[in-house]
Amino acid sequence: MTLPPPITLITDFGLTGPYVASMKGVILGISPQSAIVDITHAIQPQNIQQAAFVLDAVLPYFPAGTIHVVVVDPGVGSERRPIAVFTERACFVGPDNGVFSRVYRDENVRDIRHLRNPDYHLPAVSYTFHGRDIFAPVAAHLAAGVSPSVLGPTIADPVTIPFPTPEQLPDGSIRGQIIYADAFGNLISNIPRQWLDSRTDWTFEIAETAITGLSVTYSDVQPGDFVALGGSAGLVEIAQRNGSAARHLNVDAGETLIVRPAS
Amino acid sequence: MTLPPPITLITDFGLTGPYVASMKGVILGISPQSAIVDITHAIQPQNIQQAAFVLDAVLPYFPAGTIHVVVVDPGVGSERRPIAVFTERACFVGPDNGVFSRVYRDENVRDIRHLRNPDYHLPAVSYTFHGRDIFAPVAAHLAAGVSPSVLGPTIADPVTIPFPTPEQLPDGSIRGQIIYADAFGNLISNIPRQWLDSRTDWTFEIAETAITGLSVTYSDVQPGDFVALGGSAGLVEIAQRNGSAARHLNVDAGETLIVRPAS
Amino acid sequence: MTLPPPITLITDFGLTGPYVASMKGVILGISPQSAIVDITHAIQPQNIQQAAFVLDAVLPYFPAGTIHVVVVDPGVGSERRPIAVFTERACFVGPDNGVFSRVYRDENVRDIRHLRNPDYHLPAVSYTFHGRDIFAPVAAHLAAGVSPSVLGPTIADPVTIPFPTPEQLPDGSIRGQIIYADAFGNLISNIPRQWLDSRTDWTFEIAETAITGLSVTYSDVQPGDFVALGGSAGLVEIAQRNGSAARHLNVDAGETLIVRPAS
């Protein structure tokens, strides 16, 4: 007996209502042994960028073959296509609205299918809840062993959205931005830790505050002090020891971070 | 090897404390292979109507035989009976306080048992937490194959509570009410979509706002505009595209919705 | 086929970001059949006392052999040791910062291991997220059958933190304190219910409010009234029927509770 792969869920549905559970009921009806893992249901409503970042952050930690379902879907019921993306590492099911753009950039994509075959949807598909009516049943059928080829035709032109990218400035500085503020108020930037070599001191400028030196962990500074470090996602992170950098700097995703070498 | 049926949980316990997890520990000790699905733990404290609505909304999407545990239980420790309800579709475990009234109305009820047999409860039953001490172990024993008949005597007089029902007015209008505001701020009414035929235009009046026309999906209107549509639960829903109708109309469950035919 | 034991998670990570899900992905990659149970991820940031209380409250309800992972870890990346604690009842994985002090006090501890063997960690261990890089893989390897002895050397000097303990006063009163306010606003004290015999009336004094008599359940008093009772954790609890005692008394963990015998 082989266990089916896990199915993960990322949505902006919250956990107060029936939406997420309806999807899980559908999945269990088709693939009863699938482990269902909630990544998060607290994506800001319709924030495709945030969903793409969270998916990117968890991806390396799931076993090969995991099926990731993302339902952040402002265009539900319109012409946007429902799709499934197959890479060497995993499978992704959701709307063709760019939420998988980081996957296309970072992974070896083998196939993308337009989910047009109603045999793998619920019998009645609503106009407002494809998570339950299309994405959950397709994910469960894939977990149960259905071949991608039956789901619908291959497409070659998935929608992509641009991501803010950091840039090297002529004076040796790096200009990036905060892309995520976590529950502790730690500010995660888009600047890879590897861009900063260890031969120089660096100064981190954000919201009229300057932090000197790249630290290794939070406890390298005194309680209450701000700290810059290479975070657990491999990205430069601004934090406050025993506090919330987001709140105390009054900063959210989108804020500019400048990293300057020692002069 | 047959997998036991899933066990779902609806409570007003929140997710910050030990209550929900204690129930899960009890279930896993008795039926280790049961998939446990959180429907929601964010029911407003003691809001039996809300729990009944959420249960009703997810019910059709779970596999036959699923065991649904509902613990919204203001009368815990009083004379109210702990019960299990068996229908053609599923099994329901919880307090006899009316939370299963929609089940009695909509499903073919085969049996209702008063959970009086302490052999299927925890050894020490507290006066304040029957979710952990009675409902969780009974649900797990049922999942593990125990017969309903051993749980206690059949009862024929379960408590029911009334639900707000929509009404047809003499002038052809329909008067209903909002029964649920979801995490997006979409306002779900108790008016079935099927009551509105497609041969006429309709106007939707709520909180001194009028919306003209029944739409198919959110993107049928411009961002920021209000929209009336048949929602994913088969009920008329008032929403705001890319916004929260609940917040912008300042409306919650209980608000009146009038639907008028074109004059 | 034997099912592996459940793995539970207590963290202060919240459910909005990628952290909890990354841990689950790691676990499923090593022990795909483990049931993973979220106890709570809403521990107040870095509140070790609160995590220790919640762990203590759920512990008796999980099956023997359950593996409890606690990641409330302000000292991550510093010299604090990652440990696994083995008792007759269960196994505990987390930082050596005192969060398991109640376990040392209440259980028969068989062994404590310093998790120094990198073979059971992720290949790259970050300085800021040992939950994902050390604790999750160690817990999963234990669930999959690895022997504690390979994880690292035994230690005999785990960090302990003091807990507020109730005291008997010369006049027959008991002075305790509130140790937890739950999602309903019920105030759970550290005074065991058994300390109060049933031969006398008691008066409960908290925040300039006095409650007369020990009740059995919430519905022993009128809606809106305050009530003192023996709660589901075996501790004296102050509640408000159909209301929040925490909010209406403006009280949180740390508040003094005096219980006086009838004069």
Side-chain angles (χ1 to χ4, degrees), chain A residues 132, chain B residues 61 189 191-195 229-237:
Chain A
R132 180 192 68 195
Chain B
Y61 300 99
S189 80
I191 303 176
R193 164 69 184 83
Q194 303 105 293
W195 283 28
L229 45 72
S232 62
L235 299 166
V236 171
E237 186 178 316

Side-chain angles (χ1 to χ4, degrees), chain A residues 42-66:
Chain A
I43 297 296
Q44 292 166 359
Q46 314 186 342
N47 190 332
I48 295 169
Q49 288 272 2
Q50 195 185 48
F53 168 74
V54 171
L55 176 62
D56 197 46
V58 301
L59 207 45
Y61 299 99
F62 276 85
T66 296

Side-chain angles (χ1 to χ4, degrees), chain A residues 1 3 6 15 35 37-42 54 57-58 61-63 180 182-184 188 216-219 229-233 242, chain C residues 1 12-19 21-22 24-26 28-29 32-33 45-46 74-78 122 126-129 132-133:
Chain A
M1 187 200 64
L3 214 58
L15 285 170
V37 179
D38 299 300
I39 307 291
T40 183
H41 301 289
V54 171
V58 301
Y61 299 99
F62 276 85
Y180 191 74
D182 74 16
F184 296 92
I188 296 143
V216 167
T217 191
Y218 306 116
S219 49
L229 44 73
S232 62
N242 300 358
Chain C
M1 187 201 64
D12 55 1
F13 295 160
L15 285 169
T16 62
Y19 302 124
S22 301
K24 292 183 181 175
V26 169
L28 290 172
Q33 289 202 285
Q46 313 188 341
V76 61
S78 71
L122 290 198
S126 71
Y127 286 95
T128 56
F129 193 6
R132 180 193 67 195
D133 302 338

Side-chain angles (χ1 to χ4, degrees), chain A residues 3 41 50 60 79 92 102 106 119 135 150 159 167 182 187 206 213 237 241:
Chain A
L3 214 58
H41 301 289
Q50 195 185 48
E79 291 300 302
F92 305 86
R102 287 173 184 268
D106 299 337
D119 293 352
F135 302 131
V150 303
V159 170
E167 48 179 336
D182 74 16
L187 300 165
I206 183 169
E237 185 178 316
R241 183 170 174 196

Side-chain angles (χ1 to χ4, degrees), chain C residues 120-176:
Chain C
Y120 300 95
H121 306 170
L122 290 198
V125 172
S126 71
Y127 286 95
T128 56
F129 193 6
H130 288 184
R132 180 193 67 195
D133 302 338
I134 298 178
F135 302 132
V138 163
H141 282 297
L142 286 167
V146 152
S147 164
S149 63
V150 304
L151 300 174
T154 290
I155 65 168
D157 59 342
V159 171
T160 61
I161 53 175
F163 292 103
T165 48
E167 48 180 336
Q168 301 273 5
L169 303 184
D171 68 352
S173 302
I174 302 162
R175 185 207 307 270

Side-chain angles (χ1 to χ4, degrees), chain C residues 51-67:
Chain C
F53 168 74
V54 171
L55 175 63
D56 198 45
V58 301
L59 207 44
Y61 300 98
F62 277 85
T66 296
I67 298 166

